[in-house]
Amino acid sequence: NAGVTQTPKFQVLKTGQSMTLQCAQDMNHNSMYWYRQDPGMGLRLIYYSASEGTTDKGEVPNGYNVSRLNKREFSLRLESAAPSQTSVYFCASSEASANTIYFGEGSWLTVV
Amino acid sequence: QKEVEQDPGPLSVPEGAIVSLNCTYSNSAFQYFMWYRQYSRKGPELLMYTYSSGNKEDGRFTAQVDKSSKYISLFIRDSQPSDSATYLCAMRGYGGATNKLIFGTGTLLAVQP
């Protein structure tokens, strides 16, 4: 019972490099999310996808792009990484407008 | 001012103590109130969910919502070392701009054996 799977778990990037965080869910959920979690800031929504084929900006979208590849997969791309993007990233999924959001295990990203 | 305020702690209590965790909020449109628990180096998981005002009990956990004061609480009775985690409150309204979950910053709880 995998739930929400995200890769990689750990990554170190140099400033200016690009990378993609991958996320897949096996619960047949319509909605998927990318959050970042920083000390003292809590969980902040970067982008979300209410359904396959749609994406919308969250609270902190600058510097990120997303792709809802199909119903299962939702990727987050950093085109030109900056030290301010050092964070823990969580992918999540839910039924539409649900209060139960299922989170992945997190991806620890350090930009040097 | 943040929409949801939560004391980050850390909160350290002895095993068996009653723990009280709290959040305040400013948006009166919020109607759904959740508590998530996050163990170290893991993703958050839903612990309890309450709609509008009132109390909800689940085992050792009780969630309270006071919409008139814009204040929510999570009580843990007979706390155990396994309860050591970060507890995040979350809330949302219904429809429109308030439909997205807003999380508190989380309170780190340590239950000492």
Side-chain angles (χ1 to χ4, degrees):
Chain A
N1 190 10
V4 178
T5 304
Q6 54 182 111
T7 57
K9 194 165 182 71
F10 300 99
Q11 184 73 48
V12 178
L13 283 178
K14 293 182 179 179
T15 297
Q17 285 185 321
S18 63
M19 77 158 297
T20 300
L21 298 175
Q22 307 285 355
C23 175
Q25 52 93 7
D26 62 3
M27 294 174 282
N28 202 37
H29 287 160
N30 286 311
S31 300
M32 296 188 73
Y33 313 83
W34 276 106
Y35 288 88
R36 60 178 289 175
Q37 187 174 36
D38 304 287
M41 302 296 291
L43 279 164
R44 293 182 292 170
L45 183 64
I46 304 171
Y47 269 95
Y48 67 97
S49 171
S51 61
E52 184 179 353
T54 68
T55 61
D56 285 288
K57 295 178 180 179
E59 183 183 354
V60 288
N62 291 344
Y64 305 95
N65 285 302
V66 290
S67 295
R68 183 73 183 267
L69 304 171
N70 48 55
K71 191 171 186 179
R72 289 187 65 248
E73 298 173 289
F74 188 39
S75 63
L76 178 72
R77 182 161 178 84
L78 286 70
E79 292 290 352
S80 179
S84 61
Q85 294 177 305
T86 293
S87 187
V88 184
Y89 292 86
F90 288 99
C91 178
S93 71
S94 73
E95 297 292 344
S97 297
N99 299 311
T100 304
I101 294 183
Y102 296 86
F103 287 86
E105 295 271 281
S107 295
W108 274 254
L109 177 65
T110 301
V111 183
V112 297
Chain B
Q1 182 187 3
K2 292 180 181 178
E3 279 191 285
V4 179
E5 299 277 0
Q6 184 175 10
D7 187 334
L11 181 62
S12 182
V13 300
E15 184 175 353
I18 296 174
V19 176
S20 173
L21 304 167
N22 311 294
C23 287
T24 59
Y25 64 96
S26 58
N27 192 336
S28 58
F30 289 149
Q31 298 185 47
Y32 300 91
F33 303 92
M34 281 69 67
W35 286 94
Y36 280 77
R37 178 174 61 195
Q38 184 177 21
Y39 290 113
S40 179
R41 296 199 169 269
K42 298 290 185 182
E45 56 181 355
L46 182 69
L47 187 61
M48 295 194 70
Y49 150 63
T50 309
Y51 172 69
S52 195
S53 286
N55 294 358
K56 185 172 184 178
E57 188 173 320
D58 183 2
R60 297 183 294 110
F61 298 88
T62 300
Q64 283 187 354
V65 175
D66 182 349
K67 289 189 71 179
S68 63
S69 301
K70 297 189 180 68
Y71 189 87
I72 70 170
S73 301
L74 177 70
F75 297 96
I76 307 174
R77 291 185 300 281
D78 187 26
S79 56
Q80 301 296 310
S82 59
D83 296 327
S84 298
T86 297
Y87 290 80
L88 301 104
C89 62
M91 52 197 76
R92 70 175 181 93
Y94 181 78
T98 66
N99 198 37
K100 298 296 172 289
L101 269 185
I102 305 295
F103 284 87
T105 53
T107 299
L108 178 61
L109 171 66
V111 180
Q112 307 297 332

